């Protein structure tokens, strides 16, 4: 939860951040782009470190890195230093969730792993709620230094608690292993992504490519909205009060938390129809939601903005189906590799979307809080549609190839 608060800490205070550092839209987008890029790039090194040292020290170091990052942001005198602070934050954040997943694998029976992972994600996402209205209210009631310095202090506290309370594995086990209580099978828990041959072999399977493009296409619009551009669009563009805007963003978080278990169960029940029944409808719903808001004459009514939040919230749970694809179509020794490749898709699309929206605002001369205007936001958010079209096309292509490889559909013969 604390890691998600750190990751989303600029979501509700984007305008305050732009005013504090005198940043235009492209520069403001770099705060999120750099953080996500470091988070994604650190996944392989973190996996290697987890394999060598276990979760306890790596998670504690991650908390300390986030503390240093938030403290640096609190006292930062310039944009350059603030962006470096987000680099530290992304590096620390990268250690937390993989570490938690490793603890689940070593402390709980293998049969309970999927449920514990879902519950962990569910609780963690509630950190986005804390990063919305409460953080913005605290900032306006106190100061920039107090808010981000306070978060840094919390990270130090949790670094101490993690190191004091967490153990890598139960005392009766000699190493980080997972136990299947039904069969008695024991396997070594690994977090590292294989290199070389493993990456090529994983990408060669159309199921892995289907997973990549599913994760590329589904979550980026919601990530761009809740991580950076949602609050400026709703307040400076649509004219909502900050409390109303925070309510819209909160709907996004809550609906995503509710839909997660539902989509997870449906994915389990219809393994051969996941893309057509869940992934593609989620993408279409997001595109339709944005189309309705962007075409509405004048400021969109509040009910329509809530509908947009609901539509965008479908992207997060739908993106988890990509990992079901990766797990289904890859053997156990290649699973970490396929999962890593899949994860890259979502981060890549989010980076492109966040930066493209900021660049589009700058090119229209609407890149600062004083110049934000609704028409400029409308044009800027159109940059998401080519990403949806690209992802949709490759999902359809790779789904067909996967079904042919599995023998579900007959191959197409050239005329």
């Amino acid at each position: 939860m604390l890691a998600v608060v750190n990751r989303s800490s600029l979501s509700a205070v984007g305008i305050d951040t732009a005013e504090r550092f005198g940043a235009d839209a492209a520069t403001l987008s770099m705060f999120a782009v750099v953080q996500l890029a470091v988070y994604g790039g650190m996944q392989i090194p973190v996996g290697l470190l987890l394999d060598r040292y276990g979760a306890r020290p790596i998670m504690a170091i991650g908390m300390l890195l986030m503390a240093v990052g938030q403290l640096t942001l609190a006292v930062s005198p310039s944009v350059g230093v603030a962006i470096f602070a987000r680099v530290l934050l992304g590096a620390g954040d990268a250690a937390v969730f993989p570490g938690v997943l490793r603890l689940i694998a070593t402390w709980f029976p293998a049969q309970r792993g999927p449920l514990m992972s879902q519950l962990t994600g569910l609780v963690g996402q509630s950190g986005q709620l804390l990063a919305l209205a409460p953080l913005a209210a605290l900032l306006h009631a106190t100061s920039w230094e107090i808010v981000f310095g306070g978060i840094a202090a919390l990270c130090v506290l949790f670094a101490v608690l993690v190191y004091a309370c967490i153990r890598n594995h139960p005392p009766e086990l000699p190493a980080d292993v997972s136990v299947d209580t039904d069969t008695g099978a024991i396997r070594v828990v690994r977090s590292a992504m294989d290199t070389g041959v493993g990456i090529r072999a994983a990408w060669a399977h159309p199921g892995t490519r289907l997973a990549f493009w599913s994760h590329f296409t589904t979550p980026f619009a919601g990530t761009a909205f809740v991580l950076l551009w949602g609050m400026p669009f709703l307040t400076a563009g649509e004219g909502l009060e900050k409390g109303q805007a925070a309510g819209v963003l909160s709907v996004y978080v809550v609906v995503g938390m509710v839909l997660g278990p539902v989509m997870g169960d449906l994915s389990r029940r219809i393994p051969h129809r996941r893309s057509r029944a869940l992934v593609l409808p989620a993408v279409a719903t997001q595109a339709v939601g944005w189309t309705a808001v962007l075409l509405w004459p004048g400021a969109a009514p509040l009910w329509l903005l809530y509908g947009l939040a609901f539509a965008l919230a479908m992207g997060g749970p739908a993106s988890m189906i990509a990992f079901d694809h990766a797990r289904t179509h890859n053997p156990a020794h290649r699973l970490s590799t396929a999962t890593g490749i899949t994860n890259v898709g979502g981060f890549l699309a989010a980076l492109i979307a966040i930066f493209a929206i900021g660049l589009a605002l700058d090119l229209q001369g609407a890149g600062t809080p004083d110049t934000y205007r609704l028409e400029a936001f409308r044009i800027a958010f159109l940059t998401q549609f080519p990403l949806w079209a690209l992802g949709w096309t490759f999902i359809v292509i790779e789904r067909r190839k996967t079904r042919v490889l599995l023998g579900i559909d007959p191959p197409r013969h050239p005329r």
Side-chain angles (χ1 to χ4, degrees), residues 60-115:
I61 292 172
M63 287 290 174
L64 290 176
L65 280 174
M66 287 192 290
V68 175
Q70 292 290 34
L71 185 61
T72 303
L73 186 65
V75 300
S76 172
S78 65
V79 169
V81 176
I83 289 178
F84 175 70
R86 302 303 284 185
V87 169
L88 295 175
L89 197 67
D93 185 13
V96 176
F97 194 59
V100 171
L101 293 181
R102 190 183 185 90
L103 289 173
I104 289 172
T106 54
W107 278 90
F108 294 91
Q111 296 89 330
R112 293 175 62 188
L115 175 62

Side-chain angles (χ1 to χ4, degrees), residues 161-185:
L161 290 174
V162 164
Y163 201 78
C165 300
I166 286 178
R167 295 296 179 267
N168 287 341
H169 50 77
E172 66 272 12
L173 297 178
D176 288 7
V177 297
S178 175
V179 180
D180 188 321
T181 53
D182 286 342
T183 64

